[in-house]
Amino acid sequence: MTDDGVRPARVRMLHLGAGAFFRAHTAVFTEDAHAGEPAGERWGIAAVAHSSPAVARALRARDGRYGLLELGGGTARGRVVGAVREAHVAAEEPAAVRARLADPEVTVVTVTVTEAGYHHDPVTRRLRAHDPDLQADLAGDPHRTAVGLLVAGLGDRAAAGAPGLSVLVCDNVDDGGPLLAGLVAEFCARTGRGALADWVAEHVRFPTTVVDRIVPAPDERARARVREHLGWADEASVVTETHRQWVITDDLVAPRPAWERAGALLVPDAAPWARAKLRLVNAPHTALALLGGLRGHTTVAGAMADDELAAAVTALLDEELVPTVPAVPRLDPVATARSSLARFADPALAHPLAQIAADTSLKIGPRLLAPALELRRAGRAPTGIGAVLGAWVYALRHATDLPRDPHARRLVAAATTDDPVRAVLGLEDLVPAELGHDRAFLALVTEAHDRLVTDGTPREDTSWT
């Protein structure tokens, strides 16, 4: 399947975070929602990279078009995606981005800035006010964070008398819509913009959404595969799996693309779907990344080919994650867990463990700590989760070339104390105090950590790169 040549006539949607996931998921859903319709009915997207000019430059080089290759189950489908009409770099063009946020023609904003991009405390779900980028934003221009840029643009929109809009968080964060709404309100309060906070509360909606598609970070090999399959060359090409999902709380305040025509689900409340996905897809992904890195694996499929590791992750799902998944209409947690494992095992995508292990301190909350806390309150011992956290602490103490993490310095310092597990899990802005002070849980994690120290399984030169 290839681009039909019909491009959207105008920009009606803005996306913050023009990375590979956006190009393989949100932009594709948006294009497919109005496939076959005339240009005037299609939704053009202004894609905004945070600080990397390379992404914007690559998109501009092909007038927003880029190649997409979907792999899985021995099949390959290629196409050219043409939904992107503009590409900007927020750090270089904040005025242009703010102008689009204030544009009355733009009624939808989608966001993929990763967990770290919200500059928040994962325990309190409030702004991490001492973060230097956030401090700069709170002091005024330039806008270095997504929250600061969004507040500035919404302020321009309110001042211009433009209509409201819908802001959709498309990152793997628990109940992302209310999270971003709260961060925007807090930013307004900290900058004395109470009137803007009131306008946002009345005119802007932040519906929770759930996104699911495996998209490895593109590299030259991925781009070469797109060229070989499509005969199309560009630096913004992405390779992804055939599976895709988007679940959206049906609480949008303004016109939007007809995403349901492309397979998206509009539901009364997507929050239970989000928790289910975080536990059935993202949690085992994190387990594979942390445990697999210590066993010398570099890709998800490689880790799944390790029978002992695959058995451990399967047991983690069956015994500790599936039982904590909330009831969700039309979702079978056991079947979803099995589907996740099958997707992980498919060698078609060379998904690096380092990509999944990045920002672990911000990911483990909804993926592993929340179900662990529920199990502890029920009197159960989450040994599988304890093993993953033990591996994390071990890696912080021993491994070389750790994946990036905004709290890396603090974490490594804690992990190199005499009681590394207690020190790491005692960081109360990252780990709920109830869990970090739970002696039985600490003992589980410590046992797993110490077993790694004594059994010689990890390599001393362990690296995720």
Side-chain angles (χ1 to χ4, degrees), residues 262-282:
L265 295 177
L266 278 291
V267 300
D269 182 12
W273 290 84
R275 293 191 183 98
K277 191 260 180 173
L278 284 163
R279 298 182 188 192
L280 299 176
V281 181
N282 299 113

PDB file of all heavy atoms in Angstrom, residues 262-282:
ATOM      1  N   ALA A 262     -10.465   4.268  11.551  1.00  0.00           N
ATOM      2  CA  ALA A 262      -9.167   3.599  11.405  1.00  0.00           C
ATOM      3  C   ALA A 262      -8.950   2.534  12.470  1.00  0.00           C
ATOM      4  O   ALA A 262      -7.858   1.970  12.562  1.00  0.00           O
ATOM      5  CB  ALA A 262      -8.049   4.634  11.465  1.00  0.00           C
ATOM      6  N   GLY A 263      -9.991   2.270  13.277  1.00  0.00           N
ATOM      7  CA  GLY A 263      -9.896   1.206  14.259  1.00  0.00           C
ATOM      8  C   GLY A 263      -9.749   1.653  15.693  1.00  0.00           C
ATOM      9  O   GLY A 263      -9.675   0.813  16.609  1.00  0.00           O
ATOM     10  N   ALA A 264      -9.682   2.960  15.965  1.00  0.00           N
ATOM     11  CA  ALA A 264      -9.599   3.429  17.341  1.00  0.00           C
ATOM     12  C   ALA A 264     -10.917   3.163  18.064  1.00  0.00           C
ATOM     13  O   ALA A 264     -11.992   3.152  17.449  1.00  0.00           O
ATOM     14  CB  ALA A 264      -9.278   4.920  17.375  1.00  0.00           C
ATOM     15  N   LEU A 265     -10.822   2.947  19.363  1.00  0.00           N
ATOM     16  CA  LEU A 265     -12.005   2.739  20.194  1.00  0.00           C
ATOM     17  C   LEU A 265     -12.285   3.999  21.006  1.00  0.00           C
ATOM     18  O   LEU A 265     -11.398   4.490  21.714  1.00  0.00           O
ATOM     19  CB  LEU A 265     -11.800   1.559  21.150  1.00  0.00           C
ATOM     20  CG  LEU A 265     -11.649   0.170  20.543  1.00  0.00           C
ATOM     21  CD1 LEU A 265     -11.389  -0.846  21.660  1.00  0.00           C
ATOM     22  CD2 LEU A 265     -12.891  -0.210  19.763  1.00  0.00           C
ATOM     23  N   LEU A 266     -13.491   4.513  20.909  1.00  0.00           N
ATOM     24  CA  LEU A 266     -13.945   5.619  21.743  1.00  0.00           C
ATOM     25  C   LEU A 266     -14.794   5.031  22.856  1.00  0.00           C
ATOM     26  O   LEU A 266     -15.835   4.409  22.584  1.00  0.00           O
ATOM     27  CB  LEU A 266     -14.744   6.638  20.927  1.00  0.00           C
ATOM     28  CG  LEU A 266     -13.980   7.691  20.117  1.00  0.00           C
ATOM     29  CD1 LEU A 266     -13.285   8.681  21.032  1.00  0.00           C
ATOM     30  CD2 LEU A 266     -13.004   7.083  19.135  1.00  0.00           C
ATOM     31  N   VAL A 267     -14.355   5.175  24.103  1.00  0.00           N
ATOM     32  CA  VAL A 267     -15.009   4.522  25.233  1.00  0.00           C
ATOM     33  C   VAL A 267     -15.344   5.556  26.308  1.00  0.00           C
ATOM     34  O   VAL A 267     -14.767   6.647  26.330  1.00  0.00           O
ATOM     35  CB  VAL A 267     -14.109   3.412  25.826  1.00  0.00           C
ATOM     36  CG1 VAL A 267     -13.803   2.350  24.780  1.00  0.00           C
ATOM     37  CG2 VAL A 267     -12.829   3.999  26.403  1.00  0.00           C
ATOM     38  N   PRO A 268     -16.279   5.229  27.222  1.00  0.00           N
ATOM     39  CA  PRO A 268     -16.624   6.193  28.276  1.00  0.00           C
ATOM     40  C   PRO A 268     -15.450   6.548  29.180  1.00  0.00           C
ATOM     41  O   PRO A 268     -15.351   7.682  29.656  1.00  0.00           O
ATOM     42  CB  PRO A 268     -17.732   5.481  29.056  1.00  0.00           C
ATOM     43  CG  PRO A 268     -18.317   4.505  28.083  1.00  0.00           C
ATOM     44  CD  PRO A 268     -17.176   4.058  27.234  1.00  0.00           C
ATOM     45  N   ASP A 269     -14.556   5.593  29.439  1.00  0.00           N
ATOM     46  CA  ASP A 269     -13.414   5.841  30.321  1.00  0.00           C
ATOM     47  C   ASP A 269     -12.270   4.919  29.919  1.00  0.00           C
ATOM     48  O   ASP A 269     -12.358   3.695  30.073  1.00  0.00           O
ATOM     49  CB  ASP A 269     -13.806   5.609  31.783  1.00  0.00           C
ATOM     50  CG  ASP A 269     -12.671   5.896  32.747  1.00  0.00           C
ATOM     51  OD1 ASP A 269     -11.651   6.481  32.318  1.00  0.00           O
ATOM     52  OD2 ASP A 269     -12.795   5.546  33.937  1.00  0.00           O
ATOM     53  N   ALA A 270     -11.183   5.500  29.414  1.00  0.00           N
ATOM     54  CA  ALA A 270     -10.047   4.695  28.960  1.00  0.00           C
ATOM     55  C   ALA A 270      -9.070   4.376  30.083  1.00  0.00           C
ATOM     56  O   ALA A 270      -8.113   3.626  29.859  1.00  0.00           O
ATOM     57  CB  ALA A 270      -9.313   5.419  27.831  1.00  0.00           C
ATOM     58  N   ALA A 271      -9.278   4.930  31.295  1.00  0.00           N
ATOM     59  CA  ALA A 271      -8.314   4.718  32.378  1.00  0.00           C
ATOM     60  C   ALA A 271      -8.102   3.235  32.700  1.00  0.00           C
ATOM     61  O   ALA A 271      -6.956   2.801  32.858  1.00  0.00           O
ATOM     62  CB  ALA A 271      -8.738   5.490  33.621  1.00  0.00           C
ATOM     63  N   PRO A 272      -9.157   2.398  32.812  1.00  0.00           N
ATOM     64  CA  PRO A 272      -8.904   0.972  33.059  1.00  0.00           C
ATOM     65  C   PRO A 272      -8.139   0.309  31.925  1.00  0.00           C
ATOM     66  O   PRO A 272      -7.306  -0.572  32.151  1.00  0.00           O
ATOM     67  CB  PRO A 272     -10.314   0.385  33.199  1.00  0.00           C
ATOM     68  CG  PRO A 272     -11.183   1.538  33.551  1.00  0.00           C
ATOM     69  CD  PRO A 272     -10.594   2.706  32.841  1.00  0.00           C
ATOM     70  N   TRP A 273      -8.395   0.724  30.696  1.00  0.00           N
ATOM     71  CA  TRP A 273      -7.639   0.202  29.550  1.00  0.00           C
ATOM     72  C   TRP A 273      -6.159   0.559  29.699  1.00  0.00           C
ATOM     73  O   TRP A 273      -5.282  -0.259  29.395  1.00  0.00           O
ATOM     74  CB  TRP A 273      -8.168   0.800  28.249  1.00  0.00           C
ATOM     75  CG  TRP A 273      -9.518   0.334  27.824  1.00  0.00           C
ATOM     76  CD1 TRP A 273     -10.727   0.808  28.240  1.00  0.00           C
ATOM     77  CD2 TRP A 273      -9.812  -0.700  26.872  1.00  0.00           C
ATOM     78  NE1 TRP A 273     -11.747   0.139  27.611  1.00  0.00           N
ATOM     79  CE2 TRP A 273     -11.222  -0.786  26.767  1.00  0.00           C
ATOM     80  CE3 TRP A 273      -9.023  -1.542  26.097  1.00  0.00           C
ATOM     81  CZ2 TRP A 273     -11.852  -1.680  25.926  1.00  0.00           C
ATOM     82  CZ3 TRP A 273      -9.655  -2.442  25.243  1.00  0.00           C
ATOM     83  CH2 TRP A 273     -11.055  -2.508  25.164  1.00  0.00           C
ATOM     84  N   ALA A 274      -5.893   1.786  30.156  1.00  0.00           N
ATOM     85  CA  ALA A 274      -4.510   2.221  30.312  1.00  0.00           C
ATOM     86  C   ALA A 274      -3.782   1.371  31.340  1.00  0.00           C
ATOM     87  O   ALA A 274      -2.644   0.935  31.116  1.00  0.00           O
ATOM     88  CB  ALA A 274      -4.464   3.694  30.720  1.00  0.00           C
ATOM     89  N   ARG A 275      -4.433   1.115  32.475  1.00  0.00           N
ATOM     90  CA  ARG A 275      -3.780   0.307  33.514  1.00  0.00           C
ATOM     91  C   ARG A 275      -3.566  -1.119  33.029  1.00  0.00           C
ATOM     92  O   ARG A 275      -2.537  -1.736  33.306  1.00  0.00           O
ATOM     93  CB  ARG A 275      -4.605   0.341  34.794  1.00  0.00           C
ATOM     94  CG  ARG A 275      -4.629   1.725  35.417  1.00  0.00           C
ATOM     95  CD  ARG A 275      -5.203   1.785  36.813  1.00  0.00           C
ATOM     96  NE  ARG A 275      -5.213   3.181  37.233  1.00  0.00           N
ATOM     97  CZ  ARG A 275      -6.259   3.986  37.173  1.00  0.00           C
ATOM     98  NH1 ARG A 275      -7.406   3.527  36.709  1.00  0.00           N
ATOM     99  NH2 ARG A 275      -6.175   5.244  37.558  1.00  0.00           N
ATOM    100  N   ALA A 276      -4.540  -1.649  32.291  1.00  0.00           N
ATOM    101  CA  ALA A 276      -4.383  -2.997  31.752  1.00  0.00           C
ATOM    102  C   ALA A 276      -3.202  -3.064  30.789  1.00  0.00           C
ATOM    103  O   ALA A 276      -2.381  -3.981  30.854  1.00  0.00           O
ATOM    104  CB  ALA A 276      -5.666  -3.435  31.050  1.00  0.00           C
ATOM    105  N   LYS A 277      -3.101  -2.094  29.904  1.00  0.00           N
ATOM    106  CA  LYS A 277      -2.014  -2.106  28.923  1.00  0.00           C
ATOM    107  C   LYS A 277      -0.659  -1.944  29.597  1.00  0.00           C
ATOM    108  O   LYS A 277       0.320  -2.617  29.246  1.00  0.00           O
ATOM    109  CB  LYS A 277      -2.257  -1.008  27.897  1.00  0.00           C
ATOM    110  CG  LYS A 277      -1.338  -1.084  26.682  1.00  0.00           C
ATOM    111  CD  LYS A 277      -0.195  -0.113  26.804  1.00  0.00           C
ATOM    112  CE  LYS A 277       0.727  -0.198  25.586  1.00  0.00           C
ATOM    113  NZ  LYS A 277       1.750   0.854  25.594  1.00  0.00           N
ATOM    114  N   LEU A 278      -0.564  -1.063  30.586  1.00  0.00           N
ATOM    115  CA  LEU A 278       0.700  -0.862  31.289  1.00  0.00           C
ATOM    116  C   LEU A 278       1.170  -2.139  31.966  1.00  0.00           C
ATOM    117  O   LEU A 278       2.367  -2.423  32.028  1.00  0.00           O
ATOM    118  CB  LEU A 278       0.550   0.262  32.320  1.00  0.00           C
ATOM    119  CG  LEU A 278       0.526   1.682  31.745  1.00  0.00           C
ATOM    120  CD1 LEU A 278      -0.036   2.661  32.766  1.00  0.00           C
ATOM    121  CD2 LEU A 278       1.932   2.106  31.329  1.00  0.00           C
ATOM    122  N   ARG A 279       0.226  -2.952  32.459  1.00  0.00           N
ATOM    123  CA  ARG A 279       0.595  -4.166  33.180  1.00  0.00           C
ATOM    124  C   ARG A 279       0.760  -5.379  32.269  1.00  0.00           C
ATOM    125  O   ARG A 279       1.541  -6.273  32.582  1.00  0.00           O
ATOM    126  CB  ARG A 279      -0.438  -4.435  34.280  1.00  0.00           C
ATOM    127  CG  ARG A 279      -0.471  -3.308  35.295  1.00  0.00           C
ATOM    128  CD  ARG A 279      -1.431  -3.538  36.440  1.00  0.00           C
ATOM    129  NE  ARG A 279      -1.535  -2.320  37.242  1.00  0.00           N
ATOM    130  CZ  ARG A 279      -2.111  -2.251  38.429  1.00  0.00           C
ATOM    131  NH1 ARG A 279      -2.640  -3.338  38.977  1.00  0.00           N
ATOM    132  NH2 ARG A 279      -2.153  -1.100  39.089  1.00  0.00           N
ATOM    133  N   LEU A 280       0.047  -5.409  31.165  1.00  0.00           N
ATOM    134  CA  LEU A 280       0.085  -6.584  30.298  1.00  0.00           C
ATOM    135  C   LEU A 280       1.069  -6.451  29.132  1.00  0.00           C
ATOM    136  O   LEU A 280       1.440  -7.455  28.530  1.00  0.00           O
ATOM    137  CB  LEU A 280      -1.314  -6.868  29.751  1.00  0.00           C
ATOM    138  CG  LEU A 280      -2.383  -7.183  30.803  1.00  0.00           C
ATOM    139  CD1 LEU A 280      -3.737  -7.357  30.143  1.00  0.00           C
ATOM    140  CD2 LEU A 280      -2.011  -8.417  31.607  1.00  0.00           C
ATOM    141  N   VAL A 281       1.468  -5.242  28.819  1.00  0.00           N
ATOM    142  CA  VAL A 281       2.406  -5.029  27.714  1.00  0.00           C
ATOM    143  C   VAL A 281       3.681  -4.349  28.224  1.00  0.00           C
ATOM    144  O   VAL A 281       4.789  -4.860  28.040  1.00  0.00           O
ATOM    145  CB  VAL A 281       1.766  -4.184  26.590  1.00  0.00           C
ATOM    146  CG1 VAL A 281       2.761  -3.985  25.437  1.00  0.00           C
ATOM    147  CG2 VAL A 281       0.492  -4.841  26.078  1.00  0.00           C
ATOM    148  N   ASN A 282       3.541  -3.210  28.871  1.00  0.00           N
ATOM    149  CA  ASN A 282       4.716  -2.447  29.263  1.00  0.00           C
ATOM    150  C   ASN A 282       5.478  -3.072  30.429  1.00  0.00           C
ATOM    151  O   ASN A 282       6.721  -3.029  30.451  1.00  0.00           O
ATOM    152  CB  ASN A 282       4.313  -1.013  29.617  1.00  0.00           C
ATOM    153  CG  ASN A 282       3.689  -0.279  28.455  1.00  0.00           C
ATOM    154  OD1 ASN A 282       2.511   0.043  28.497  1.00  0.00           O
ATOM    155  ND2 ASN A 282       4.443  -0.037  27.397  1.00  0.00           N
TER     156      ASN A 282
END
